[in-house]
Amino acid sequence: MTATRILVLNSGSSSVKYQLLDMATHERLAVGLVERIGEETSRLKHTPLAGGGEAREQNRRIADHAGALKAVADELAADGLGLDSPELAAIGHRVVHGGLKFTEPTIVDDAVLAEIERLIPVAPLHNPANLTGIRTAMELRPDLPQVAVFDTAFHTTMPESAARYAIDVATADAHRVRRYGFHGTSHAYVSRKTAELLGKDPSEVNLIVLHLGNGASASAVRGGECVDTSMGLTPLEGLVMGTRSGDVDPAVIFHLMRVGKMSPDEIDILLNQKSGLIGLCGDNDMREIRRRIDEGDESARLAFDIYIHRLKKYIGAYYAVLGRVDAIAFTAGVGENAAPVREAAVAGLEELGLAVDGELNSVRSDEARIVSPEYARVAVAVVPTDEELEIAQQTYALVGDAGDRNA
Ligand code: ADP
C-alpha cells in the first residue's frame, strides 16, 4: 500500500491544531483542535470529514501536549485513521522559527531538534511548544518521518539590505538580531496561487502579499522569491495587528521604562497583547470594528484609519522595492473577508495602477479571485490561504523525494 496521508500538526503554547490530508486525492480526511491544554477543562473538537461523520467534542482536563496528541490519536483511530495506519506517510510540523539555517522543510533528527531548541531565545513563545509537539509525535511513531516546516523559511531569500537592522554589526551578530519574517508558509502558498490566478509562472511575476489575520504581515515577492517582509526579529514588527502594535519608535520602550517605570516584561505584554486594534479601540475583530464605525463610533474609526494608513505605507514601500508590481494579494481572516479594508488600502492609488471594482470586491466567496477593474495595471486579488495544505504538500514532497532516493 502506498502511504499518501500526511498529518499536519500546529502546536501552540496551549493548543494543538491538526489536519489529516490525503495527498493522492487532495482530500481532507479529518480536522480538529485541542485548546486550553493544562487548564482545568480543556476542549478537543474533532471533525471527521472523510465519511461525512459528525463533529465530536470532549471537555475534560488534558494535562499536557503529550496527552493532547494521545487524545487526537485516539479520535483518529476511532475513525479508522489511526497513527498506526500504513497509509500515513509522515507528520508535518509547523515550526515558527527556523533562523537562518533552515531554508527548506527538513526531516527531524537529533541535530534538527537541537537547532530548534537553540533558537528558543528568539522565539520564546513558539519554538518550545513546536518542539514539544514534535517530540511527542516522535514518541508515538518513532519510525515515521517527522518533517519540520518553518514559518521563516520563505523569507531566507531576503537580501542582507532588507534583512539587517542598521545597528552595530558585532552586537547584532552576537545575539542573532536581524529580520527573519514570519507567516512564510502562507506567503509562499498565496504567492504561488496568485501567479496561477494570473495565468503566469511564479518566476514571471512581482507581488505584494498582505496576510491580514489577527497577526498581520506584508511581503514583497519578486519572481517567486521573498525580497522583503514586514515582520522582523519577532512577529511584532510591521503592520498594525489585532493585539500587536507593529512598528513603533524603539525609543518608546526606553521612555516607558524610564518615565513610565514599566518593566521589560510589562512592555512586552503591552506591545504584543494590549496594542494594535484592541489597544486603540478595545476590539480586535474587524467585524466588530466595522459595526461600531457604522454606528458612528469615533475610536473604532480612528483604529481603522491607523490600520489602513500603515497598510498603505507598506504597499507604497514594497511597490518601490519591487519597481514593478503585477498583483497585490489579500489573504487571511481580514484580507479574505473585509471588503472595506481592501477598498480603503488601495483608495487614491490609481496613479500607481491600483483600484478595486466595488461590485467585484463586495462579492463573498471562498475562491481565489481578482477584484480590480479590467483597466487597472495592477491586479488586486483575494486569495484564501491554506497553511495546512502547504505544510502537507511540502512534507509530502520531501518524504516522496526521500522515498525515491531509497528506491
Ligand atoms: P489568525 O491570525 O488567528 O490565524 P485569521 O486569519 O483567522 O487569524 O483572522 C482572524 C481575524 O479575521 C478576526 O480577528 C477578524 O478580525 C477577521 N475576520 C474574520 N472574518 C471576518 C469577516 N467576515 N469580516 C471582517 N473580518 C473578519
Side-chain angles (χ1 to χ4, degrees):
M1 187 180 293
T2 345
T4 55
R5 290 181 187 162
I6 302 290
L7 177 66
V8 176
L9 288 181
N10 180 354
S11 307
S13 55
S14 66
S15 70
V16 175
K17 291 185 201 148
Y18 62 95
Q19 288 197 6
L20 182 68
L21 297 102
D22 192 314
M23 304 316 289
T25 60
H26 291 114
E27 198 183 357
R28 235 169 273 253
L29 303 171
V31 303
L33 163 76
V34 189
E35 40 185 7
R36 301 196 292 270
I37 296 171
E39 290 182 28
E40 209 163 291
T41 326
S42 319
R43 175 169 168 264
L44 187 161
K45 187 169 180 203
H46 174 85
T47 311
L49 300 171
E54 294 271 299
R56 301 193 291 274
E57 217 175 293
Q58 293 182 28
N59 290 287
R60 63 176 172 90
R61 178 172 158 78
I62 297 175
D64 50 22
H65 281 74
L69 267 191
K70 181 79 185 40
V72 170
D74 288 346
E75 288 291 350
L76 289 167
D79 297 324
L81 301 167
L83 293 194
D84 52 358
S85 160
E87 289 171 75
L88 189 61
I91 302 182
H93 298 266
R94 175 188 182 206
V95 179
V96 167
H97 216 308
L100 288 181
K101 211 164 187 174
F102 296 116
T103 58
E104 302 281 343
T106 306
I107 293 187
V108 178
D109 58 19
D110 287 345
V112 172
L113 285 174
E115 182 62 20
I116 297 173
E117 191 152 15
R118 218 170 65 88
L119 289 164
I120 287 178
V122 281
L125 294 180
H126 295 102
N127 274 30
N130 301 156
L131 265 177
T132 312
I134 299 175
R135 289 203 170 107
T136 310
M138 286 174 114
E139 278 163 27
L140 286 174
R141 274 298 304 269
D143 55 317
L144 203 64
Q146 310 280 339
V147 176
V149 179
F150 300 92
D151 267 27
T152 45
F154 183 63
H155 304 302
T156 53
T157 50
M158 275 197 291
E160 287 293 281
S161 53
R164 284 216 174 249
Y165 293 109
I167 62 175
D168 173 67
V169 173
T171 309
D173 287 351
H175 301 289
R176 281 181 287 185
V177 173
R178 56 185 286 126
R179 311 189 56 255
Y180 296 97
F182 298 89
H183 288 148
T185 309
S186 176
H187 286 283
Y189 178 83
V190 170
S191 313
R192 254 197 353 264
K193 282 278 161 192
T194 307
E196 219 173 86
L197 190 66
L198 299 177
K200 299 261 171 72
D201 190 80
S203 64
E204 299 171 316
V205 290
N206 290 351
L207 307 171
I208 297 173
V209 178
L210 303 170
H211 176 109
L212 310 177
N214 214 354
S217 63
S219 63
V221 183
R222 175 181 289 132
E225 289 195 345
C226 178
V227 292
D228 203 353
T229 194
S230 61
M231 284 176 166
L233 174 73
T234 74
L236 182 56
E237 192 180 342
L239 299 174
V240 175
M241 313 184 207
T243 66
R244 287 174 238 162
S245 61
D247 298 334
V248 292
D249 179 346
V252 167
I253 296 165
F254 322 133
H255 180 79
L256 291 176
M257 287 172 78
R258 291 178 188 135
V259 179
K261 305 286 177 222
M262 293 175 74
S263 70
D265 284 350
E266 284 169 337
I267 300 172
D268 194 332
I269 290 172
L270 174 83
L271 296 180
N272 274 296
Q273 297 173 25
K274 297 183 180 172
S275 297
L277 293 171
I278 209 157
L280 289 167
C281 75
D283 270 307
N284 64 338
D285 192 313
M286 192 53 82
R287 285 164 286 200
E288 190 55 23
I289 290 169
R290 291 303 308 173
R291 196 190 58 71
R292 283 172 54 188
I293 292 172
D294 289 343
E295 287 175 353
D297 187 314
E298 300 267 325
S299 70
R301 174 86 247 169
L302 181 59
F304 184 82
D305 289 349
I306 295 170
Y307 183 96
I308 297 297
H309 181 76
R310 185 84 51 85
L311 196 52
K312 219 174 223 181
K313 285 214 296 201
Y314 271 91
I315 292 173
Y318 288 172
Y319 208 121
V321 165
L322 292 167
R324 186 200 86 224
V325 177
D326 299 294
I328 296 194
F330 286 86
T331 193
V334 176
E336 291 167 31
N337 297 299
V341 168
R342 297 192 295 260
E343 189 185 331
V346 302
L349 303 183
E350 293 81 6
E351 289 289 328
L352 297 179
L354 276 161
V356 295
D357 176 295
E359 214 166 294
L360 290 177
N361 190 41
S362 62
V363 173
R364 298 193 59 88
S365 159
D366 294 337
E367 299 291 316
R369 59 202 185 274
I370 289 174
V371 298
S372 44
E374 218 154 285
Y375 65 79
R377 236 177 25 248
V378 180
V380 177
V382 182
V383 181
T385 191
D386 194 337
E387 288 161 284
E388 288 77 17
L389 179 61
E390 179 71 16
I391 291 173
Q393 282 174 339
Q394 292 196 12
T395 300
Y396 191 58
L398 187 64
V399 176
D401 284 353
D404 290 347
R405 273 199 304 276
N406 293 338

